Structure formats: C-alpha cells, structure tokens
Amino acid sequence: MRPRNLVFVLVALGLGLVGLWLARTPGRTGERRAGAVPVVPQARATAETTPAEAQRSPTRGEGAPTSAPESPTGSSRGERETTEPFRLVLLGDVRSEDGRPIEGADLLVGDPWHGQAHLVRSDAGGALRAELVERPYDFVFTVLADGFEGSTKHVDGLRGDELRLGTFHLRPGGEVSGRVLDEAGQGISDAWVEWLRASAFPSDPVAARANGPEEESYDPHSFRSLVLTDAEGAFRVRGLPRGEWFLAASAGGRAHGWTEVFEVGGAPLREQVIVLPPSQQSSTAVSGVVQEPSGQPLPGAVLRIREGKHEWPCATAGREGRFVLDESLHGGLELGASDPEHRFGPVWVSGVAPGTRDLVLRLTPPVWMPVRLVDEQGRAVPWGHVELDGELHPAGREGLVRVLRPERPTRVRALAPGFRTEVFDQLTPPPIGEELRVTLRPGQALRGRVVHAGRPVRGARLNLSRTPPPDALYESRGVAPMDHPFVVPWSVELHGQDGTTDGSGAFLLTIHERGWYGIRVEADGFPLTVLGPFELDPEVGRDGLELALERGGTLEGSVRLPPGAAPEDVLVGVSNGWRFVRSAAVDAEGRYRIEDLAPGPYQVRRCTPPVASLQRLDVASSVEAPEWDCRVRAGETTRFDLDLTQEGSVVLSGRLEGLEGARSGWRALLYTAKSPRDFWFKPRAQAELERDGRFELTLSRPGLYRIELRSGPWSLWRDLELFAGPNEWERRIETGRILLRASGDPAEPHLRYVARAGDGLECVVEYPWWQKQAAEGGLRFDAPVGPGRLETATAEDPDVWTQRREITLEQGQELALDFP
C-alpha cells in the first residue's frame, strides 16, 4: 500500500469510518475491502409483520416534523437530521508572496475524490466573495491561479452565516496538460492523474506498475491536485509548485503509468502523455455498466461485492455509469449495485465469473417497506428513527417510515425518545405488501422544562451531547494562537436536535448511556445557550430539570496591534468553554463587536482563519484551567480590549550541533514546563530545524517552558526560562554507538537509552518493538556520550520502564552489549 493511502486508511479506521472512505473513491475500482460485520447482541424486543397495503413512495423518511410539535419530543442522539436552512457567505482574498493582489484566481469547494465545484473568481483587488446555499460534502477550499502554485484550506464543524477564509498566499507555479492513452493510442476516460515529487519516481518499475509509485510522506492538508480525464482521455493539472515533478495515472483494468520527471519553472510545459497497459489482472477483470430501471446509465452508482453474510462496497460507477473491477477473483462472484440517492431498488447478480465483460446491472423499481414503531400497548411511538443498512430514516409524528425493502435478512435498529434502542441482527423482511412492526420498550429519559423568567419557552430546540467529566481539561488546536489557546473543559455539538419543547416548555430527551452531558438550547429570541454539565444514567433517568434561558448580551472592544499590523487582517474569537467559538472581524479602526452572546464568562483571543462566525473547536489535552477575560450580562454591552502588542515579543534563537548523520527531519517544540511528555499535549510553538541546525521560536508571553527537539528515535528536552526580547540556546551533542544483541525471546519489546547532561539536558533514544531487530544481527544505534542507562518496557504496559543497566559511553566508541 502506498504511504499516502495508508495515512487515509489509518485515519478512517481510527474514526470508525472505513465505509465512508470507501464511498469517497469514485473511479478507483477494484479495491476490495473485507466487510467486518459487528457482533450485536439480540435485543429483547419484538418484531412482527402485519398485513398492509403495498405502498410505494418516491421519497424516504416521510413524516419528519417541519414545525414544533404540540408534545415534548426528541430524536436520536448522534444521528439527527437537521432541517435548518443552509446559507454560508465566504470571504477571503488572494495575494502573491510579495503581497500583490491576484485577479482572476478560481475558488473551488470540495475535495477531488467527490468532485470540486467552482464558486467565484477573485476581483481586481484579489478579493473573494461567494455564497453557498447547499452544504458541500467537505469544507475544503482550493484556490488556483494561472502561473501560481495552488493552495488549500480546510475547516470542520462550522455553523453560522459567514466563513472568513483569510488570505491565500500563492507562490509561483505552473500547470501541465496531456492525455492518458491505452496501448492502442486511444484515450482512456475517467483515469485519475496526480503529480508527485521527483523523489517518488519509481525505482522498481515492475512493482510500480502493479501498485503505483511509492511516496515517502503525505500531508492531507497541503495542496494536491487529483483530476479525472475526460471522454477523450485529456486532462489539465493546475497549481503545480516549482521544482521537479512527474505525473502518475491509474484506471480500472489498467496497470499504473507515469511520465518522465519534468521541471516546473517559468517556461510552459509540453503536453504529457501517459500510457496505461492492461493490468496483470486484466484477464480476470469484470467490466460493465449500471443502469436505471429505464435503461439510462447511472453515474455514481455504488458497486458492492457479497460473500455469504459479508458485503462491502468495491467501486463507484463513472460518468457514463461504467465500471471495471480489476482485482483477482476466485470462482463465481455475487455483484450488486445500488443508487446512493435511494431512488431505485438494488440489483444483485450471482455467479459473475472472472473476466466477464459488458455486464449490465439494471436497478429495479423501488419496492417500499413500511416500518411502524409502537409501544407495548400497540400505540404509535412518535419522532423515532429506523436505521437500515447504515441509513437513518425519521419516522415522524405517526411513528411510520417507508424504506426500500431489503431482499434478504438485514440489520435493523430502531430508536425513539423515551424508549430503549432495539437492534435486530439479520431480521427477515416481511412479504411484499406487509409492514414491519417494531415494538419498543420504555426507557429512562431526561425530562424537564425550558423557561425564561419563570414562563415556559415553547418550541425550543434541544441537543444532548456527551462532555468530559468536570476534572478533565482540554484546549483548542488551531483557531487561537498556539501559545494562547482557548481552554475548553466541556464539549457540545453544534448540529442536530434531540428534542423540542411543547406549549408548557416541557421536553423529553433519551439518555443512551451513562456519563456527563451538556444541553444545547436554541429558541427564537434567545442566544445559543449551553447548560451543564449534568451526570446522567439511563437506568435512573432524571425528572424535573428546569433550564432557564436569559436574553443575549454584547461584547465589544478595541484591538491594540503591534506597529505596522493591519487591523483588517485580524479576527477576534470568544469562547465560554463549551468547545465552540464565536468570531467577528476587526474594522479599519481596530474595533470588534459580537452580539447575541449567552450570559456568562468568556475567553477572548485573536483567531487565525479560516474561521466561521460560529465554529466547533478541535481540542488537545491541557493542564491549564480556564482564565476568563470578561463576563457578558443579559441585555448589556460588555467592553473588553484585546492587547496584541506583545505578539512575538519572546524570541528563542537556537542551534543544535552534532548528529550530522541524523539531522534531517528535526523539529523544535516549546511546551509549558508543567505539560506532561505526552503526544496529546499541544506545543506552544514549533519549527523545523534548518540544515545547519538553527531554528527560531516566537511567543507572546515570557515564562518557564520546556524545549524539545525530536527526530526519529531521538528526543532531547530541557527546561528554559524565556524572557521578553531575544533568547538564545545552543547545544552540541557528541555521540558514540551501541550494538545491542538479544538472545532468546526477551519479554520487553520497548527499549530506550536515557542520558542526562550536567546542564539538565536529557537525551532519549527510543526503539519500540526492538527485540526483533536486536535478534537479527543486532540493533546498532547512536547514543549521546557520558553516563546513561538502558531501560525496557513491556507491550502490556509500555509506560512502565525498568532499568536494565548503566552505561558510560565515550565519544566515537562502539559498545557491544548482549541482552539480557
């Protein structure tokens, strides 16, 4: 697997979104994934079929409420469908490295896998202004301009009506065009073309033909260009950085191909041609077309493979509905196709032999299955949801939803406010024309009222979100400066709705699991308010909770900037500790104003775009408790002036000498002195070391910090007190070498060597899972000279280290040791 693809897969696994990742690969056919079926205990509930008229519906999820119901209701935590209208104004500008505005730059939204939509072009002043009226699949914004390198910005978890993208600073670059051809010189449509650094040029052409060129590293947040060829096989790649590059291409049923290395500079590039021969598996490839019931091709249809009870998506049909599966297939294959928009029924074909060509998969007319949610007395359960094959369908006021009828036993999950979630694994669908009735058992819930000045608030929308316990502390990643982040002890979701209050202000929210929760409340005439945290238990429930709303307040002030800074480039954000930020721009006079804030204490920070007017924060662990800058009061205007005149006033200039053979990839990081040495804690500043070992770190506040320098197995750290103004730190590391040989099968798989210098600098060289290397000819590694110690830890408890032996290493010495 190519390293950059591995990064995506690991992230997807960590988030539990493997299926989503597979769905986002249109055109990349033949990628087989094992379909891991979760083991779900059989729920103690009943599911029965009752006669009903066969019903067919052009839409799914009928009965979803469009206004506040007359009784307290809720939907299901974690899978809400929001009905709020979407509108987002985008603001930004495009400039060259020297600050000149760039006219005619294109702003696109979306990522290449799902397709990018063109939004607007920059005006004569380089300004970008566009409006989104439909929520895109991904909030990924790309700017392309002729003669410049492309630039990309990502933003997640936003709400509000405005997103400030900030300035896209473009460096000189270029573009290249060409064609992707087959062995006969005919154009290949829907082939993927991307550009790679010259360092990734294939050294093993045979392996690269099968797997594609290998790439050392992949940064998903940097600009990358990935384009599809048109019907004639033509492509145009824009935004290439200057330097040496080559193009790589891939297509279903074809081996990978690439160009020679070329240099992107000031001169135009000649047209590039990439020839893709048939793959080694081409004789077993399955190709065909997916069609609607009418016989029209269906682009974007999802191809699926089934083996027994296991089923997984394997490809997405191209723009003409065509597909190629070029994996090695053994024996007959059960292949299916479905419409991701649920307009048509799926189709399955059994016994598809390897090498099948021109297979037609024609989807079927939809057959709808009514699903009715009832309680133990047979009464309708309102405002529930039914999940079928991973798709969630709202059942509405009548507890009835119509879904596409599965043709085989499938997993069904039913959930509703005030009832226990029930799961049926491999539930057999009823005969056509009959409804599926699901009986839900009562469950414990959170019940209460929303009031203002003692009077009920009708139609308030509530969301119940898990939040860390009160003793946990987190801080923002990004948005605020690294050395002055928002501290966010609590968490709440910004999207979705779990319940609505009735005319008496009453609400009912389902508690799905034990833990701490925050409640987000939104009501007309009141600011977005979060209350809590509350500790809730589904076995106990809670009644009589009263949530009191207050009218909003306003926060305004001036921003004092360093000399020469332009106030128009500054954004101010405020947070009340609930893991979201409200932001506003600073005007030409250096003033900001944020209205309709919930009363309470706030932190105020300068923000780095892209930032939305209301946006969720990414967080990391923290050791600092929140320090509030001001307090907003209902119906009043609070003033707080933000002093940024000391930004960057603390400068640490450093240099690391020695380690000439291992200097590449070194990073310098500054942490607060009390931060644990843990991956989950965020540095206050960081920088890459130059070739001569020099680096510079800037902060706004003096104090006691811990400097860390890292590269591969090496890490160095020491406490430093930094003062306002210039600070300097230099260190030269002399090394020797240790040869460690392991005999037998040592139980400790993690090894580290620790040495502490007289000035307090601690050096660590760490090798996880070292015993295999040590047993196969020995583990040889550089280590700092002087007194040190070898330590080991087990895989079962890698945080507990045991000292094995003390060592004194001299400069240039190679010390051979046997372990144990």
Side-chain angles (χ1 to χ4, degrees), residues 409-465:
T410 188
R411 183 175 186 268
V412 176
R413 189 167 69 109
L415 54 168
F419 292 85
R420 297 184 184 276
T421 297
E422 310 290 2
V423 178
F424 305 93
D425 201 24
Q426 298 299 306
L427 183 68
T428 301
I432 296 177
E434 297 184 4
E435 74 176 18
L436 176 67
R437 177 168 291 191
V438 179
T439 301
L440 300 181
R441 297 172 299 137
Q444 297 299 336
L446 174 65
R447 295 175 172 85
R449 297 174 67 233
V450 177
V451 299
H452 166 64
R455 304 184 64 179
V457 177
R458 175 181 177 180
R461 302 168 297 281
L462 295 92
N463 166 268
L464 189 65
S465 299

Short mmCIF file of all heavy atoms in Angstrom, two decimals, residues 409-465:
data_model
loop_
_atom_site.label_atom_id
_atom_site.label_comp_id
_atom_site.label_asym_id
_atom_site.label_seq_id
_atom_site.Cartn_x
_atom_site.Cartn_y
_atom_site.Cartn_z
N PRO A 409 -32.33 -11.00 4.70
CA PRO A 409 -32.23 -10.58 6.10
C PRO A 409 -31.18 -9.50 6.29
O PRO A 409 -30.09 -9.55 5.69
CB PRO A 409 -31.86 -11.87 6.83
CG PRO A 409 -32.43 -12.96 5.97
CD PRO A 409 -32.27 -12.46 4.56
N THR A 410 -31.50 -8.51 7.10
CA THR A 410 -30.61 -7.37 7.28
C THR A 410 -30.67 -6.90 8.72
O THR A 410 -31.50 -7.34 9.51
CB THR A 410 -30.99 -6.24 6.32
OG1 THR A 410 -30.00 -5.22 6.36
CG2 THR A 410 -32.34 -5.64 6.70
N ARG A 411 -29.78 -5.98 9.05
CA ARG A 411 -29.72 -5.44 10.41
C ARG A 411 -30.62 -4.21 10.50
O ARG A 411 -30.51 -3.29 9.68
CB ARG A 411 -28.28 -5.07 10.77
CG ARG A 411 -28.10 -4.55 12.19
CD ARG A 411 -26.61 -4.33 12.46
NE ARG A 411 -26.35 -3.96 13.84
CZ ARG A 411 -26.29 -2.71 14.29
NH1 ARG A 411 -26.50 -1.70 13.46
NH2 ARG A 411 -26.03 -2.46 15.56
N VAL A 412 -31.49 -4.18 11.49
CA VAL A 412 -32.42 -3.07 11.70
C VAL A 412 -32.23 -2.56 13.12
O VAL A 412 -32.16 -3.35 14.07
CB VAL A 412 -33.88 -3.50 11.47
CG1 VAL A 412 -34.84 -2.36 11.79
CG2 VAL A 412 -34.09 -3.97 10.04
N ARG A 413 -32.15 -1.25 13.24
CA ARG A 413 -32.04 -0.62 14.55
C ARG A 413 -33.16 0.41 14.67
O ARG A 413 -33.35 1.22 13.75
CB ARG A 413 -30.68 0.03 14.73
CG ARG A 413 -30.41 0.52 16.14
CD ARG A 413 -28.93 0.86 16.32
NE ARG A 413 -28.57 2.04 15.56
CZ ARG A 413 -28.28 3.22 16.11
NH1 ARG A 413 -28.33 3.36 17.42
NH2 ARG A 413 -27.95 4.24 15.37
N ALA A 414 -33.87 0.40 15.76
CA ALA A 414 -34.97 1.33 15.98
C ALA A 414 -34.73 2.07 17.29
O ALA A 414 -34.35 1.48 18.29
CB ALA A 414 -36.30 0.59 16.03
N LEU A 415 -34.98 3.38 17.29
CA LEU A 415 -34.73 4.20 18.46
C LEU A 415 -35.70 5.37 18.47
O LEU A 415 -36.11 5.86 17.42
CB LEU A 415 -33.28 4.69 18.48
CG LEU A 415 -32.69 5.41 17.29
CD1 LEU A 415 -31.34 6.04 17.70
CD2 LEU A 415 -32.43 4.50 16.11
N ALA A 416 -36.07 5.77 19.68
CA ALA A 416 -37.04 6.86 19.83
C ALA A 416 -36.87 7.45 21.21
O ALA A 416 -36.43 6.77 22.16
CB ALA A 416 -38.47 6.35 19.64
N PRO A 417 -37.23 8.72 21.38
CA PRO A 417 -37.08 9.36 22.70
C PRO A 417 -37.98 8.70 23.73
O PRO A 417 -39.15 8.44 23.48
CB PRO A 417 -37.49 10.81 22.43
CG PRO A 417 -38.32 10.76 21.19
CD PRO A 417 -37.75 9.65 20.37
N GLY A 418 -37.37 8.43 24.88
CA GLY A 418 -38.12 7.81 25.96
C GLY A 418 -38.21 6.30 25.87
O GLY A 418 -38.85 5.66 26.71
N PHE A 419 -37.55 5.70 24.86
CA PHE A 419 -37.59 4.25 24.68
C PHE A 419 -36.17 3.72 24.50
O PHE A 419 -35.26 4.44 24.08
CB PHE A 419 -38.44 3.88 23.45
CG PHE A 419 -39.89 4.16 23.62
CD1 PHE A 419 -40.40 5.42 23.35
CD2 PHE A 419 -40.76 3.17 24.07
CE1 PHE A 419 -41.75 5.69 23.52
CE2 PHE A 419 -42.11 3.44 24.25
CZ PHE A 419 -42.61 4.70 23.97
N ARG A 420 -36.01 2.44 24.81
CA ARG A 420 -34.72 1.81 24.65
C ARG A 420 -34.45 1.54 23.18
O ARG A 420 -35.35 1.17 22.44
CB ARG A 420 -34.65 0.50 25.44
CG ARG A 420 -34.80 0.69 26.94
CD ARG A 420 -34.62 -0.63 27.66
NE ARG A 420 -34.85 -0.48 29.09
CZ ARG A 420 -33.94 -0.07 29.95
NH1 ARG A 420 -32.71 0.21 29.53
NH2 ARG A 420 -34.22 0.05 31.23
N THR A 421 -33.20 1.72 22.78
CA THR A 421 -32.81 1.40 21.41
C THR A 421 -32.81 -0.11 21.23
O THR A 421 -32.25 -0.84 22.04
CB THR A 421 -31.42 1.97 21.11
OG1 THR A 421 -31.48 3.40 21.21
CG2 THR A 421 -30.96 1.59 19.72
N GLU A 422 -33.46 -0.57 20.18
CA GLU A 422 -33.55 -2.01 19.92
C GLU A 422 -32.83 -2.34 18.63
O GLU A 422 -32.92 -1.61 17.64
CB GLU A 422 -35.02 -2.44 19.82
CG GLU A 422 -35.91 -1.97 20.96
CD GLU A 422 -35.61 -2.67 22.28
OE1 GLU A 422 -34.68 -3.50 22.32
OE2 GLU A 422 -36.30 -2.38 23.27
N VAL A 423 -32.11 -3.46 18.63
CA VAL A 423 -31.33 -3.89 17.48
C VAL A 423 -31.75 -5.30 17.10
O VAL A 423 -31.82 -6.19 17.96
CB VAL A 423 -29.82 -3.85 17.78
CG1 VAL A 423 -29.03 -4.34 16.58
CG2 VAL A 423 -29.39 -2.43 18.15
N PHE A 424 -32.02 -5.50 15.81
CA PHE A 424 -32.36 -6.82 15.29
C PHE A 424 -31.31 -7.17 14.24
O PHE A 424 -31.24 -6.52 13.19
CB PHE A 424 -33.75 -6.82 14.67
CG PHE A 424 -34.83 -6.35 15.61
CD1 PHE A 424 -35.20 -5.01 15.62
CD2 PHE A 424 -35.45 -7.22 16.48
CE1 PHE A 424 -36.17 -4.56 16.49
CE2 PHE A 424 -36.42 -6.77 17.35
CZ PHE A 424 -36.79 -5.45 17.36
N ASP A 425 -30.53 -8.19 14.53
CA ASP A 425 -29.48 -8.60 13.60
C ASP A 425 -30.05 -9.68 12.68
O ASP A 425 -30.66 -10.65 13.14
CB ASP A 425 -28.28 -9.14 14.38
CG ASP A 425 -27.02 -9.10 13.55
OD1 ASP A 425 -26.96 -8.29 12.60
OD2 ASP A 425 -26.10 -9.87 13.84
N GLN A 426 -29.84 -9.50 11.37
CA GLN A 426 -30.33 -10.44 10.37
C GLN A 426 -31.85 -10.63 10.47
O GLN A 426 -32.38 -11.74 10.50
CB GLN A 426 -29.62 -11.78 10.50
CG GLN A 426 -28.11 -11.71 10.28
CD GLN A 426 -27.77 -11.22 8.88
OE1 GLN A 426 -28.25 -11.78 7.89
NE2 GLN A 426 -26.96 -10.17 8.79
N LEU A 427 -32.55 -9.50 10.49
CA LEU A 427 -34.00 -9.52 10.55
C LEU A 427 -34.57 -9.80 9.16
O LEU A 427 -34.19 -9.15 8.18
CB LEU A 427 -34.53 -8.19 11.08
CG LEU A 427 -36.04 -8.09 11.27
CD1 LEU A 427 -36.50 -9.00 12.39
CD2 LEU A 427 -36.44 -6.66 11.55
N THR A 428 -35.46 -10.78 9.07
CA THR A 428 -36.07 -11.13 7.78
C THR A 428 -37.17 -10.14 7.44
O THR A 428 -38.09 -9.92 8.25
CB THR A 428 -36.65 -12.55 7.83
OG1 THR A 428 -35.60 -13.48 8.16
CG2 THR A 428 -37.28 -12.93 6.51
N PRO A 429 -37.12 -9.49 6.27
CA PRO A 429 -38.17 -8.54 5.91
C PRO A 429 -39.49 -9.27 5.67
O PRO A 429 -39.51 -10.44 5.27
CB PRO A 429 -37.64 -7.90 4.62
CG PRO A 429 -36.72 -8.92 4.04
CD PRO A 429 -36.10 -9.61 5.21
N PRO A 430 -40.61 -8.61 5.92
CA PRO A 430 -41.92 -9.25 5.70
C PRO A 430 -42.19 -9.38 4.20
O PRO A 430 -41.51 -8.77 3.37
CB PRO A 430 -42.88 -8.26 6.36
CG PRO A 430 -42.21 -6.94 6.24
CD PRO A 430 -40.74 -7.23 6.39
N PRO A 431 -43.20 -10.16 3.83
CA PRO A 431 -43.57 -10.27 2.41
C PRO A 431 -43.96 -8.90 1.85
O PRO A 431 -44.40 -8.01 2.58
CB PRO A 431 -44.76 -11.23 2.43
CG PRO A 431 -44.61 -12.01 3.70
CD PRO A 431 -44.00 -11.05 4.68
N ILE A 432 -43.80 -8.77 0.54
CA ILE A 432 -44.18 -7.52 -0.12
C ILE A 432 -45.66 -7.25 0.17
O ILE A 432 -46.51 -8.13 0.03
CB ILE A 432 -43.92 -7.61 -1.63
CG1 ILE A 432 -42.41 -7.76 -1.89
CG2 ILE A 432 -44.47 -6.38 -2.36
CD1 ILE A 432 -42.07 -7.94 -3.35
N GLY A 433 -45.96 -6.02 0.55
CA GLY A 433 -47.33 -5.65 0.86
C GLY A 433 -47.65 -5.66 2.34
O GLY A 433 -48.75 -5.29 2.74
N GLU A 434 -46.70 -6.11 3.17
CA GLU A 434 -46.91 -6.12 4.61
C GLU A 434 -45.91 -5.17 5.26
O GLU A 434 -44.83 -4.91 4.73
CB GLU A 434 -46.76 -7.54 5.18
CG GLU A 434 -47.79 -8.51 4.65
CD GLU A 434 -47.67 -9.87 5.29
OE1 GLU A 434 -46.83 -10.02 6.20
OE2 GLU A 434 -48.42 -10.78 4.89
N GLU A 435 -46.30 -4.66 6.43
CA GLU A 435 -45.44 -3.73 7.14
C GLU A 435 -44.66 -4.45 8.24
O GLU A 435 -45.09 -5.49 8.75
CB GLU A 435 -46.23 -2.57 7.72
CG GLU A 435 -47.04 -2.93 8.94
CD GLU A 435 -47.73 -1.71 9.55
OE1 GLU A 435 -47.86 -0.69 8.86
OE2 GLU A 435 -48.16 -1.80 10.73
N LEU A 436 -43.54 -3.89 8.58
CA LEU A 436 -42.73 -4.38 9.69
C LEU A 436 -43.08 -3.56 10.92
O LEU A 436 -42.93 -2.34 10.90
CB LEU A 436 -41.24 -4.26 9.36
CG LEU A 436 -40.27 -4.65 10.48
CD1 LEU A 436 -40.35 -6.15 10.75
CD2 LEU A 436 -38.84 -4.25 10.11
N ARG A 437 -43.56 -4.25 11.94
CA ARG A 437 -43.92 -3.54 13.18
C ARG A 437 -42.85 -3.83 14.23
O ARG A 437 -42.55 -4.99 14.52
CB ARG A 437 -45.29 -3.98 13.67
CG ARG A 437 -45.69 -3.35 14.98
CD ARG A 437 -47.15 -3.57 15.28
NE ARG A 437 -48.00 -2.81 14.36
CZ ARG A 437 -49.31 -2.65 14.53
NH1 ARG A 437 -49.92 -3.20 15.57
NH2 ARG A 437 -50.02 -1.96 13.65
N VAL A 438 -42.28 -2.77 14.80
CA VAL A 438 -41.23 -2.88 15.81
C VAL A 438 -41.76 -2.35 17.13
O VAL A 438 -42.21 -1.19 17.20
CB VAL A 438 -39.97 -2.11 15.38
CG1 VAL A 438 -38.89 -2.21 16.45
CG2 VAL A 438 -39.44 -2.64 14.05
N THR A 439 -41.72 -3.19 18.14
CA THR A 439 -42.21 -2.81 19.47
C THR A 439 -41.03 -2.34 20.31
O THR A 439 -40.03 -3.06 20.47
CB THR A 439 -42.90 -3.99 20.16
OG1 THR A 439 -43.99 -4.43 19.34
CG2 THR A 439 -43.42 -3.59 21.53
N LEU A 440 -41.13 -1.13 20.84
CA LEU A 440 -40.08 -0.55 21.67
C LEU A 440 -40.50 -0.57 23.13
O LEU A 440 -41.67 -0.35 23.45
CB LEU A 440 -39.79 0.89 21.23
CG LEU A 440 -39.34 1.08 19.79
CD1 LEU A 440 -39.06 2.56 19.53
CD2 LEU A 440 -38.10 0.26 19.49
N ARG A 441 -39.53 -0.84 24.00
CA ARG A 441 -39.78 -0.85 25.44
C ARG A 441 -39.44 0.50 26.05
O ARG A 441 -38.48 1.14 25.62
CB ARG A 441 -38.94 -1.94 26.10
CG ARG A 441 -39.28 -3.35 25.65
CD ARG A 441 -38.26 -4.34 26.20
NE ARG A 441 -36.92 -4.04 25.71
CZ ARG A 441 -35.83 -4.07 26.48
NH1 ARG A 441 -35.93 -4.34 27.76
NH2 ARG A 441 -34.65 -3.81 25.97
N PRO A 442 -40.20 0.94 27.03
CA PRO A 442 -39.89 2.24 27.66
C PRO A 442 -38.48 2.24 28.24
O PRO A 442 -37.99 1.23 28.76
CB PRO A 442 -40.94 2.36 28.77
CG PRO A 442 -42.05 1.46 28.34
CD PRO A 442 -41.39 0.31 27.61
N GLY A 443 -37.83 3.37 28.16
CA GLY A 443 -36.50 3.55 28.73
C GLY A 443 -36.46 4.83 29.55
O GLY A 443 -37.33 5.69 29.43
N GLN A 444 -35.45 4.93 30.39
CA GLN A 444 -35.31 6.12 31.21
C GLN A 444 -34.88 7.30 30.35
O GLN A 444 -34.15 7.15 29.38
CB GLN A 444 -34.32 5.88 32.33
CG GLN A 444 -34.77 4.79 33.30
CD GLN A 444 -36.07 5.14 34.00
OE1 GLN A 444 -36.41 6.31 34.12
NE2 GLN A 444 -36.79 4.13 34.44
N ALA A 445 -35.35 8.47 30.71
CA ALA A 445 -35.09 9.65 29.90
C ALA A 445 -34.88 10.86 30.81
O ALA A 445 -35.10 10.81 32.03
CB ALA A 445 -36.26 9.91 28.95
N LEU A 446 -34.45 11.94 30.20
CA LEU A 446 -34.31 13.22 30.87
C LEU A 446 -35.54 14.05 30.54
O LEU A 446 -35.83 14.30 29.36
CB LEU A 446 -33.04 13.92 30.40
CG LEU A 446 -32.82 15.36 30.90
CD1 LEU A 446 -32.63 15.37 32.41
CD2 LEU A 446 -31.61 15.98 30.21
N ARG A 447 -36.25 14.45 31.58
CA ARG A 447 -37.47 15.24 31.40
C ARG A 447 -37.34 16.56 32.17
O ARG A 447 -36.77 16.59 33.26
CB ARG A 447 -38.70 14.47 31.88
CG ARG A 447 -39.00 13.22 31.07
CD ARG A 447 -40.16 12.43 31.69
NE ARG A 447 -40.58 11.34 30.83
CZ ARG A 447 -40.02 10.13 30.80
NH1 ARG A 447 -38.99 9.88 31.61
NH2 ARG A 447 -40.47 9.21 29.99
N GLY A 448 -37.87 17.61 31.59
CA GLY A 448 -37.78 18.89 32.25
C GLY A 448 -38.52 19.97 31.50
O GLY A 448 -39.35 19.68 30.62
N ARG A 449 -38.20 21.24 31.82
CA ARG A 449 -38.85 22.38 31.19
C ARG A 449 -37.80 23.43 30.86
O ARG A 449 -36.79 23.57 31.57
CB ARG A 449 -39.90 23.00 32.12
CG ARG A 449 -41.07 22.10 32.47
CD ARG A 449 -41.98 22.75 33.49
NE ARG A 449 -42.67 23.93 32.95
CZ ARG A 449 -42.67 25.13 33.50
NH1 ARG A 449 -41.98 25.35 34.61
NH2 ARG A 449 -43.34 26.13 32.96
N VAL A 450 -38.07 24.18 29.80
CA VAL A 450 -37.27 25.34 29.45
C VAL A 450 -38.11 26.57 29.74
O VAL A 450 -39.26 26.69 29.28
CB VAL A 450 -36.85 25.31 27.97
CG1 VAL A 450 -36.07 26.58 27.61
CG2 VAL A 450 -36.01 24.08 27.67
N VAL A 451 -37.54 27.49 30.53
CA VAL A 451 -38.31 28.66 30.95
C VAL A 451 -37.46 29.92 30.80
O VAL A 451 -36.23 29.87 30.69
CB VAL A 451 -38.75 28.53 32.43
CG1 VAL A 451 -39.66 27.31 32.62
CG2 VAL A 451 -37.54 28.44 33.35
N HIS A 452 -38.14 31.04 30.79
CA HIS A 452 -37.48 32.36 30.86
C HIS A 452 -38.29 33.21 31.83
O HIS A 452 -39.50 33.39 31.66
CB HIS A 452 -37.44 33.02 29.48
CG HIS A 452 -37.09 34.49 29.56
ND1 HIS A 452 -35.88 34.93 30.01
CD2 HIS A 452 -37.82 35.60 29.24
CE1 HIS A 452 -35.85 36.25 29.97
NE2 HIS A 452 -37.01 36.68 29.50
N ALA A 453 -37.63 33.70 32.87
CA ALA A 453 -38.28 34.50 33.91
C ALA A 453 -39.49 33.77 34.48
O ALA A 453 -40.54 34.38 34.77
CB ALA A 453 -38.68 35.87 33.35
N GLY A 454 -39.37 32.44 34.60
CA GLY A 454 -40.43 31.63 35.17
C GLY A 454 -41.52 31.23 34.21
O GLY A 454 -42.41 30.45 34.57
N ARG A 455 -41.49 31.71 32.96
CA ARG A 455 -42.53 31.40 31.99
C ARG A 455 -42.00 30.39 30.98
O ARG A 455 -40.82 30.41 30.61
CB ARG A 455 -43.00 32.67 31.28
CG ARG A 455 -43.49 33.73 32.24
CD ARG A 455 -44.03 34.93 31.50
NE ARG A 455 -45.21 34.57 30.71
CZ ARG A 455 -45.90 35.45 29.97
NH1 ARG A 455 -45.51 36.71 29.91
NH2 ARG A 455 -46.95 35.06 29.28
N PRO A 456 -42.86 29.48 30.49
CA PRO A 456 -42.38 28.43 29.58
C PRO A 456 -41.92 29.01 28.24
O PRO A 456 -42.47 30.00 27.75
CB PRO A 456 -43.60 27.53 29.42
CG PRO A 456 -44.77 28.39 29.73
CD PRO A 456 -44.30 29.35 30.79
N VAL A 457 -40.95 28.35 27.65
CA VAL A 457 -40.46 28.70 26.32
C VAL A 457 -40.88 27.58 25.38
O VAL A 457 -40.41 26.44 25.49
CB VAL A 457 -38.94 28.87 26.30
CG1 VAL A 457 -38.45 29.17 24.88
CG2 VAL A 457 -38.52 29.98 27.25
N ARG A 458 -41.77 27.89 24.48
CA ARG A 458 -42.31 26.90 23.56
C ARG A 458 -41.44 26.81 22.30
O ARG A 458 -40.92 27.80 21.81
CB ARG A 458 -43.74 27.28 23.18
CG ARG A 458 -44.36 26.37 22.14
CD ARG A 458 -45.76 26.84 21.79
NE ARG A 458 -46.34 26.03 20.74
CZ ARG A 458 -47.56 26.22 20.24
NH1 ARG A 458 -48.31 27.22 20.71
NH2 ARG A 458 -48.02 25.44 19.29
N GLY A 459 -41.31 25.60 21.77
CA GLY A 459 -40.60 25.40 20.51
C GLY A 459 -39.09 25.49 20.62
O GLY A 459 -38.39 25.60 19.62
N ALA A 460 -38.54 25.43 21.84
CA ALA A 460 -37.09 25.43 21.99
C ALA A 460 -36.52 24.12 21.47
O ALA A 460 -37.09 23.05 21.69
CB ALA A 460 -36.71 25.65 23.45
N ARG A 461 -35.39 24.18 20.81
CA ARG A 461 -34.75 23.01 20.22
C ARG A 461 -33.57 22.61 21.11
O ARG A 461 -32.70 23.43 21.38
CB ARG A 461 -34.31 23.31 18.80
CG ARG A 461 -35.47 23.75 17.92
CD ARG A 461 -35.04 24.34 16.60
NE ARG A 461 -34.26 25.57 16.74
CZ ARG A 461 -34.78 26.76 16.98
NH1 ARG A 461 -36.09 26.89 17.12
NH2 ARG A 461 -34.01 27.83 17.07
N LEU A 462 -33.53 21.34 21.51
CA LEU A 462 -32.53 20.89 22.46
C LEU A 462 -31.65 19.79 21.86
O LEU A 462 -32.11 18.98 21.05
CB LEU A 462 -33.19 20.35 23.74
CG LEU A 462 -33.97 21.36 24.59
CD1 LEU A 462 -35.44 21.37 24.19
CD2 LEU A 462 -33.85 21.02 26.06
N ASN A 463 -30.40 19.79 22.29
CA ASN A 463 -29.45 18.77 21.89
C ASN A 463 -28.71 18.29 23.13
O ASN A 463 -28.25 19.09 23.94
CB ASN A 463 -28.46 19.34 20.86
CG ASN A 463 -27.25 18.45 20.67
OD1 ASN A 463 -26.24 18.63 21.33
ND2 ASN A 463 -27.34 17.49 19.76
N LEU A 464 -28.62 16.97 23.30
CA LEU A 464 -27.94 16.35 24.45
C LEU A 464 -26.62 15.79 23.95
O LEU A 464 -26.60 14.89 23.12
CB LEU A 464 -28.82 15.26 25.05
CG LEU A 464 -28.38 14.64 26.37
CD1 LEU A 464 -28.42 15.68 27.49
CD2 LEU A 464 -29.28 13.45 26.72
N SER A 465 -25.50 16.31 24.46
CA SER A 465 -24.17 15.93 23.97
C SER A 465 -23.31 15.41 25.11
O SER A 465 -23.31 15.97 26.21
CB SER A 465 -23.46 17.13 23.33
OG SER A 465 -24.17 17.62 22.22
#
